[in-house]
Amino acid sequence: MSVPKQSLYTLEEYNEMREQSNDLLEYVDGVVYTSPSPSTEHQRISAKLHVRLFNALNGKPCEALAAPFDIVLKKEGVEGNQIVIPDLTVICDDGGLNEKNYVGVPEMIIEILSPSNQSHDLVLKLRLYQTYGVKEYWIVDPLTNTILVYRSDKTYQVVEKGTAQSDVVKGFEVEVEEIFRV
């Protein structure tokens, strides 16, 4: 994640930047963050997780969406403009879903760490998702072959071996070793 030289932008300036750029840009509290293109390993992990999410959600009123797809975080009582592009998102309330983005709070978000975005996902986005009440936030770390599962009750679990299991998406579980296997 890189931060442009100017530290704060208006939402209008951000939208202009988006129209003029092919980069993946996120907007958090006036700061614009640029995401690098995902690596091959990142894409493989994302695809495996997306397939498992899709299968776990089959026949249920929720859906899993993969990046690039904008999530405009919005919750009553929480101020600010936050636009993020998670690697995978589970949405159960389709009232905020439109052709361009989702406005609201997803049930679950999964981010896959890259060497250049670790602090962004581990610190900034964790705080952001907790503030907005995302029920479950998975951080998938290919460098350590671990999955961190943060829940809205502020508990977390580090899964290094065996199965990582969702409390939010019933039937969604992954074997950690298999997710990282090439």
Side-chain angles (χ1 to χ4, degrees), residues 37-49:
S37 294
S39 68
T40 301
E41 179 183 36
H42 183 283
Q43 291 295 79
R44 286 179 178 146
I45 292 168
S46 181
K48 288 177 185 179
L49 292 168

Side-chain angles (χ1 to χ4, degrees), residues 11 26-27 46 62 66-67 83 87 91 122 127 145 157 165:
L11 190 55
E26 296 181 314
Y27 183 80
S46 181
C62 302
I83 302 169
D87 292 313
I91 297 169
L122 287 167
R127 176 192 57 83
N145 290 349
Q157 175 184 17
Q165 193 169 23

Side-chain angles (χ1 to χ4, degrees), residues 33-155:
Y33 296 90
T34 305
S35 294
S37 294
S39 68
T40 301
E41 179 183 36
H42 183 283
Q43 291 295 79
R44 286 179 178 146
I45 292 168
S46 181
K48 288 177 185 179
L49 292 168
H50 196 198
V51 166
R52 282 165 182 74
L53 272 173
F54 179 83
N55 289 335
L57 293 170
N58 191 23
K60 297 177 182 167
C62 302
E63 65 181 304
L65 299 171
F69 186 73
D70 288 358
I71 304 298
V72 180
L73 292 169
K74 185 172 184 172
K75 179 181 175 184
E76 190 173 320
V78 181
E79 292 185 28
N81 293 303
Q82 324 297 347
I83 302 169
V84 293
I85 307 170
D87 292 313
L88 294 162
T89 306
V90 174
I91 297 169
C92 297
D93 171 22
D94 65 357
L97 197 57
N98 60 63
E99 290 302 311
K100 288 181 63 178
N101 56 37
Y102 174 75
V103 179
V105 180
E107 300 295 308
M108 178 183 193
I109 289 178
I110 298 176
E111 296 283 8
I112 302 162
L113 294 182
S114 298
S116 63
N117 75 348
Q118 288 187 13
S119 65
H120 186 69
D121 290 343
L122 287 167
V123 179
L124 181 87
K125 284 189 171 180
L126 174 60
R127 176 192 57 83
L128 194 62
Y129 298 155
Q130 286 178 335
T131 298
Y132 279 86
V134 173
K135 292 180 183 171
E136 209 166 75
Y137 175 39
W138 286 33
I139 299 173
V140 179
D141 187 349
L143 296 174
T144 61
N145 290 349
T146 58
I147 298 175
L148 290 85
V149 179
Y150 289 90
R151 295 183 175 86
S152 58
D153 64 3
K154 302 221 169 129
T155 62

